[in-house]
Amino acid sequence: MSGKITIHQAICGEKNKSWDLLKTTLTNRELAKNMALKTDIQDTAGGYKWDPSVRGFAYGDYYLIMRSFLDTGEVRPGRAFSHVLIIALSDLDKIPDLGVLFSLLPEKIDKEQPLVPLEPSLKAGEPIIDIEDYSNAFAGRFKKLLNGYFNMASHKNTIVWIGYGDYEKAVAEFWKRITIQEKHNFELIIPPVSLCTDNAAMIGWAAIERFKSGYTSDLNFSPKDRWSIEDTL
């Protein structure tokens, strides 16, 4: 399906030394403030540097897509800032391509930007591109993403896209391949920054996910000083 929908906006960040709603186009401000509490990025202590990241999840009768930034303005060190798009769940089936929503999100922090409801014209989705038409590097990773998702019941784990390279493209392609009900339950999250900056923490997390998927090893193995993440999935 395609057509025109109304997308509300909100910006959220530090206010009076706590996370809060800064501005929104929603008339129900109490609802918007409750949404805002869900858009913070936890564990963003000072000293960590990270790039803007896209996240998304359902909240009540709405789906929230946001780009979150490290706020380097006049706030406490390590604070975040999120620009949020608010879409009614009933309109999700009219969005064939998440790339349209990604293009509506700003690339940098702008707290003074006037917010208005958006009414993008949505065209019918383009035919799903055969994965083989992509580069070998992306195709290989994306196939593993699909395999992990469609075998979720047996794997019982979380799908992790390592690094931000091609992340938005992978999410947009994945969106085209799932049902409307699956979209309602689809969550895009980024792990706590503290788990992304320490090698031991990242190795430990990878080990937990492998163990939950049923992978075990005895003690008769040789350590590898360089082991591609592709070989562990």
Side-chain angles (χ1 to χ4, degrees):
M1 296 181 65
S2 61
K4 183 172 287 188
I5 64 174
T6 297
I7 298 176
H8 284 282
Q9 301 188 77
I11 57 175
C12 313
E14 184 171 275
K15 181 179 180 181
N16 298 325
K17 295 187 177 181
S18 63
W19 184 264
D20 203 351
L21 174 71
L22 303 181
K23 192 184 302 184
T24 186
T25 62
L26 273 179
T27 55
N28 187 336
R29 192 168 180 83
E30 181 178 357
L31 173 62
K33 286 179 70 70
N34 289 335
M35 288 179 177
L37 295 176
K38 301 294 184 180
T39 66
D40 191 9
I41 294 183
Q42 302 298 320
D43 192 24
T44 53
Y48 293 121
K49 300 295 183 182
W50 47 275
D51 293 329
S53 302
V54 169
R55 298 180 292 147
F57 47 83
Y59 180 86
D61 294 329
Y62 296 90
Y63 196 86
L64 311 182
I65 289 279
M66 68 207 72
R67 181 167 279 132
S68 297
F69 305 80
L70 179 64
D71 193 342
T72 57
E74 296 180 0
V75 297
R76 292 175 297 165
R79 298 305 94 188
F81 171 89
S82 292
H83 190 117
V84 188
L85 302 180
I86 305 167
I87 305 106
L89 284 180
S90 58
D91 285 334
L92 280 189
D93 62 340
K94 300 175 184 176
I95 303 174
D97 188 351
L98 274 187
V100 174
L101 300 188
F102 293 160
S103 69
L104 298 175
L105 291 168
E107 295 294 334
K108 60 182 180 180
I109 294 176
D110 185 356
K111 297 180 182 179
E112 304 305 320
Q113 174 186 356
L115 298 184
V116 296
L118 303 173
E119 294 187 346
S121 294
L122 302 171
K123 300 179 181 179
E126 298 179 358
I128 295 178
I129 299 175
D130 191 315
I131 296 303
E132 302 300 337
D133 292 339
Y134 283 115
S135 68
N136 290 337
F138 177 80
R141 297 187 72 190
F142 191 72
K143 285 179 181 178
K144 290 178 179 179
L145 183 154
L146 291 178
N147 179 67
Y149 179 78
F150 292 118
N151 291 284
M152 183 72 75
S154 58
H155 288 347
K156 299 179 182 178
N157 64 0
T158 302
I159 298 173
V160 180
W161 187 267
I162 305 298
Y164 207 79
D166 286 331
Y167 166 71
E168 292 185 17
K169 179 166 73 173
V171 170
E173 286 298 323
F174 184 71
W175 184 266
K176 298 174 184 177
R177 291 166 168 80
I178 58 178
T179 67
I180 185 61
Q181 188 56 50
E182 289 171 324
K183 291 175 181 177
H184 285 193
N185 298 317
F186 188 44
E187 291 190 355
L188 301 172
I189 63 173
I190 61 173
V193 178
S194 61
L195 294 181
C196 303
T197 57
D198 181 270
N199 283 345
M202 290 188 283
I203 292 169
W205 186 19
I208 289 171
E209 296 296 345
R210 283 177 57 80
F211 181 76
K212 287 163 60 178
S213 296
Y215 294 99
T216 59
S217 301
D218 57 30
L219 297 180
N220 297 317
F221 65 89
S222 299
K224 296 182 179 181
D225 58 348
R226 295 193 180 278
W227 192 6
S228 170
I229 190 67
E230 303 294 334
D231 296 333
T232 69
L233 300 176

